[in-house]
Amino acid sequence: FKNLRAYRMTRGLDLNAEQIEEALQARTFQACRPTQAQTFGWVPALGADTESLLHMADGYGVLRLRREEKILPASVVRELLDERVKGIEEKQGRKVYRKEKLSLKEEIVIDSLPRAFSRHSELRLLLDKERRWVFVDSVSANKAEEALHLLRECIGTFPVLPAQSNNAPTAAINGWLMNGTLPDDFQLRDECELQEIGEQSALVRCKGIDLRSEEVLQHLRGGMLPIRVALEWQEQLQFVLGDDLALRRMRFADALVKENDELFEEDPLAKLDADFALMAPAISNLFERLIGLFGGPDTA
């Protein structure tokens, strides 16, 4: 996982692994048809050399969603539309109005899609059934919601809500910076974003700087609040925490990443499984710790 958006299941996931696997088969990834602008679906969780769409280990499950999008630049469509409109107006001696232009634009898009290049991307979901968390590897809330909607379509019902804490993360982080009272298992790194309250909403980005420095403190004393801060947890994970509880630019410590290298040099699949068994609880434990510092999850 490079990023993390957390969602809380409002009730437990009743289906077992076999039932979920069977349900996912209804929406496996299929490449775009010639006139299709985009498509997405499930692919094997641990890669092309495997078959299972859901991989489970120690109560954690991982899913992988693949998306294909046809790249059709707006400038190209606009240029083709201008040429077609000009041709109609010159040959037929009449004005092409908005409604007809929209129809022509749709025709151009359909005609151009078979020749467009494709862009592929992937997104992972981590299920923590015991704690009822779903973690999505995406900075985009829209793409995360799209993946959850597809999962919901497959398994019938899957009520989740974006993670919220009882106390505002911004207030706690502000106290860490102002008073130097960071919890023992966290370390400040050298990056943050501060935002002013009010109509102007001035934004200050600090990078490569000691976050306990007088320069940062002056902004905080002036009423700015931290909306993002770079942290390290237990020398295992580095990340940028946002006031929306999203984690960005996650990076696992080299020692954790390499822990299984020697054990599974000749079996890449076993290494993937072992890596997942290490990293899934690390992610879930980190988020449980963070939301606990902010007063626990808001379950209202």
Side-chain angles (χ1 to χ4, degrees):
F1 276 48
K2 302 296 183 185
N3 305 284
L4 186 146
R5 285 192 173 274
Y7 296 80
R8 190 165 188 86
M9 305 180 206
T10 58
R11 63 172 183 264
L13 187 57
D14 296 331
L15 301 178
N16 60 34
E18 290 76 17
Q19 291 170 321
I20 296 174
E21 175 76 27
E22 183 179 355
L24 296 177
Q25 294 291 337
R27 289 296 303 272
T28 57
F29 174 77
Q30 305 293 328
C32 282
R33 296 188 297 274
T35 58
Q36 197 171 9
Q38 68 172 359
T39 185
F40 53 91
W42 307 110
V43 293
L46 293 188
D49 295 331
T50 63
E51 295 182 357
S52 296
L53 302 176
L54 170 68
H55 178 74
M56 295 292 300
D58 299 327
Y60 298 95
V62 65
L63 308 169
R64 194 159 59 107
L65 185 73
R66 177 174 294 166
R67 170 192 294 274
E68 180 184 359
E69 298 174 276
K70 292 291 185 69
I71 303 172
L72 195 58
S75 59
V76 173
V77 175
R78 187 164 54 248
E79 184 177 335
L80 293 172
L81 177 61
D82 290 343
E83 290 177 1
R84 193 168 294 189
V85 169
K86 184 179 179 181
I88 292 173
E89 290 180 341
E90 289 178 351
K91 290 179 180 179
Q92 301 181 16
R94 64 180 180 84
K95 182 75 174 175
V96 176
Y97 291 98
R98 183 175 180 274
K99 185 175 181 180
E100 187 176 358
K101 284 182 179 180
L102 290 174
S103 179
L104 290 171
K105 183 179 178 180
E106 290 179 3
E107 291 177 7
I108 289 168
V109 169
I110 292 172
D111 291 343
S112 302
L113 281 174
R115 301 187 300 276
F117 289 103
S118 290
R119 175 172 55 201
H120 293 85
S121 59
E122 292 186 353
L123 176 153
R124 291 173 176 81
L125 287 81
L126 173 63
L127 308 178
D128 181 345
K129 293 181 67 176
E130 181 178 346
R131 292 167 169 168
R132 299 200 304 185
W133 289 114
V134 186
F135 302 110
V136 185
D137 182 4
S138 178
V139 294
S140 166
N142 287 339
K143 288 187 177 180
E145 293 283 356
E146 185 179 66
L148 292 169
H149 181 70
L150 180 63
L151 180 57
R152 190 176 297 114
E153 281 187 352
C154 290
I155 65 177
T157 179
F158 190 57
V160 297
L161 292 172
Q164 290 185 319
S165 55
N166 282 307
N167 303 327
T170 311
I173 298 168
N174 190 62
W176 297 350
L177 298 176
M178 289 282 285
N179 306 318
T181 54
L182 199 70
D184 292 340
D185 50 341
F186 287 89
Q187 295 82 43
L188 284 174
R189 295 171 62 217
D190 62 353
E191 181 180 348
C192 72
E193 288 186 16
L194 311 176
Q195 190 167 47
E196 192 175 41
I197 301 173
E199 294 182 2
Q200 299 298 324
S201 297
L203 183 69
V204 173
R205 290 188 175 93
C206 305
K207 194 166 185 178
I209 187 172
D210 182 355
L211 299 188
R212 294 191 179 94
S213 68
E214 186 62 26
E215 182 179 354
V216 174
L217 290 175
Q218 282 182 357
H219 287 300
L220 295 172
R221 293 185 192 119
M224 300 192 86
L225 291 174
I227 58 170
R228 292 186 187 178
V229 63
L231 298 168
E232 183 172 357
W233 177 64
Q234 291 187 346
E235 299 182 349
Q236 287 188 350
L237 270 168
Q238 296 179 354
F239 56 94
V240 176
L241 171 65
D243 59 352
D244 56 355
L245 291 175
L247 308 187
R248 294 168 173 83
R249 304 206 314 271
M250 292 175 60
R251 183 178 180 273
F252 289 90
D254 291 342
L256 190 66
V257 172
K258 295 178 180 178
E259 187 167 330
N260 295 317
D261 283 358
E262 294 182 3
L263 295 175
F264 302 103
E265 285 182 356
E266 298 180 0
D267 192 342
L269 182 57
K271 183 183 182 307
L272 281 173
D273 188 19
D275 285 347
F276 174 67
L278 275 176
M279 294 180 187
I283 289 172
S284 190
N285 290 338
L286 165 63
F287 196 79
E288 280 277 309
R289 175 65 172 138
L290 282 171
I291 207 161
L293 291 172
F294 305 140
D298 182 358
T299 57

